[in-house]
Amino acid sequence: MSFVSYENKGAYGILTMNRPEALNALDSNVLNDLSAALDQVDLETVRCLIITGAGEKSFVAGADIKEMANLTKAEGEAFGKKGNDIFRRIETLPIPVIAAVNGFALGGGCELAMSCDFRICSDNAVFGQPEVGLGITPGFGGTQRLARLVGPGYAKQMIYTARNIKADEALRIGLVNQIVPLEELMPTAEKLAAGITKNAPIAVRQCKKAINEGLELKMDDAIVLEEKLFGDCFETHDQVEGMTAFMEKRKEKNFTNN
Ligand code: DAK
């Protein structure tokens, strides 16, 4: 049995972290299964991915503390690399990834959510980086992505104090985009995914690349990157179709990812 399930819903897919007896905590097996589940996503046809957690209580309650407890320095570093490689793969997937956070998103769970393009959450969601209380640093990108997302001030406060925050505070500091009642979380995430998949997939992919890679560059270089990615959209089927539909006053568009 896999600890991560993947459901193909046509234009989008849903990946569910599925180890509810441990609040979906990430041990080596879960990380291996997450990597295998990502292999199943057919990037030719799937235009958006949702990541959520099984159950009503937890997205992911962190890396597995019981597995980490006896690691040596070398094993700890290797475990960090294993998680980082997978989370970086999620962050750089060509398609958008939405985190639908259904409860605890602590430590590695908060870090998994932050490797997605954006986050929506249920009203019972709790976010935090409790690592310093366990004698370690965040190890799956938390120090880097949290500071980039909410700014160094809030990131440092959350990380140094190891204090968990509730959904409303996460919304206020920009860690999540939207809070909904738990029963509306997946319908909302799927509606968002469906809205994204209606648009020209090549253009959406280029936008993800432009934003992610542009943020790492100086503005003079970033706008050159945008020019290049913008130019690449021309002469595609989808650019011709999108503009022709406008001129023909058609609402329905046949985007083909070509
Ligand atoms: N690891 C292992 N088991 C966990 C777990 C976790 N992170 N979180 C929950 N569980 C397990 C509990 O042990 C319990 O199992 P049994 O005792 O029943 O066998 C089961 O899930 C249900 O949990 P509770 O009974 O505790 O449920 P409660 O509702 O009472 O409490 C809670 C929920 C989320 C408040 C509590 O479970 C909790 O505090 N969990 C730990 C949260 C946490 O501290 N997470 C951060 C983990 S540290 C690095 C690489 C990675 C990382 C760091 C460095 N390098 C290599 C440098 C990442 C670190 C982390 O993520």
Side-chain angles (χ1 to χ4, degrees):
M1 198 202 106
S2 172
F3 290 113
V4 182
S5 64
Y6 176 63
E7 187 184 2
N8 185 319
K9 304 266 277 190
Y12 63 91
I14 302 176
L15 213 147
T16 305
M17 308 304 294
N18 190 14
R19 194 192 172 205
E21 66 282 4
L23 304 184
N24 304 322
L26 305 167
D27 66 6
S28 306
N29 292 329
V30 176
L31 288 174
N32 289 339
D33 288 351
L34 177 56
S35 180
L38 288 167
D39 291 339
Q40 289 181 51
V41 181
D42 176 5
L43 294 170
E44 294 297 314
T45 55
V46 173
R47 298 179 181 185
C48 185
L49 185 65
I50 298 168
I51 301 183
T52 193
E56 301 193 335
K57 194 170 161 183
S58 182
F59 174 70
V60 167
D64 191 301
I65 299 168
K66 294 166 192 167
E67 187 181 77
M68 284 192 297
N70 296 313
L71 296 184
T72 61
K73 280 183 197 295
E75 289 165 344
E77 198 175 322
F79 186 61
K81 177 164 170 43
K82 190 182 183 85
N84 270 329
D85 286 350
I86 297 172
F87 288 11
R88 185 72 179 137
R89 183 174 168 201
I90 292 170
E91 186 169 46
T92 57
L93 273 183
I95 57 172
V97 185
I98 302 170
V101 178
N102 56 309
F104 292 112
L106 303 177
C110 189
E111 291 166 314
L112 173 61
M114 291 191 294
S115 70
C116 300
D117 286 272
F118 59 87
R119 290 139 293 284
I120 63 169
C121 73
S122 53
D123 44 16
N124 67 335
V126 176
F127 295 82
Q129 296 287 164
E131 286 88 347
V132 296
L134 295 164
I136 54 174
T137 65
F140 293 156
T143 55
Q144 303 309 307
R145 293 196 180 93
L146 190 60
R148 282 166 172 75
L149 261 173
V150 304
Y154 280 121
K156 286 176 175 174
Q157 186 177 345
M158 275 180 71
I159 291 171
Y160 298 168
T161 62
R163 184 177 69 87
N164 293 342
I165 62 170
K166 292 186 178 161
D168 54 351
E169 190 170 352
L171 181 69
R172 186 167 56 77
I173 66 174
L175 184 52
V176 296
N177 290 8
Q178 189 181 357
I179 307 171
V180 295
L182 182 60
E183 62 277 13
E184 287 171 29
L185 181 65
M186 286 314 289
T188 304
E190 291 190 56
K191 203 171 161 191
L192 275 165
I196 290 169
T197 63
K198 277 196 196 117
N199 293 316
I202 293 174
V204 172
R205 288 174 184 226
Q206 300 289 74
C207 289
K208 172 164 179 170
K209 204 172 160 65
I211 295 169
N212 280 3
E213 293 182 14
L215 280 170
E216 307 296 325
L217 300 174
K218 288 200 210 103
M219 186 56 85
D220 284 332
D221 299 326
I223 53 175
V224 172
L225 172 71
E226 189 187 74
E227 285 159 17
K228 164 97 185 63
L229 294 167
F230 171 73
D232 282 349
C233 295
F234 287 84
E235 298 179 59
T236 63
H237 166 275
D238 288 351
Q239 173 258 324
V240 174
E241 168 65 7
M243 295 190 179
T244 305
F246 171 79
M247 291 183 290
E248 292 177 352
K249 301 190 186 298
R250 270 196 284 124
K251 279 224 170 90
E252 288 312 310
K253 294 169 202 162
N254 175 30
F255 290 130
T256 61
N257 202 12
N258 286 297

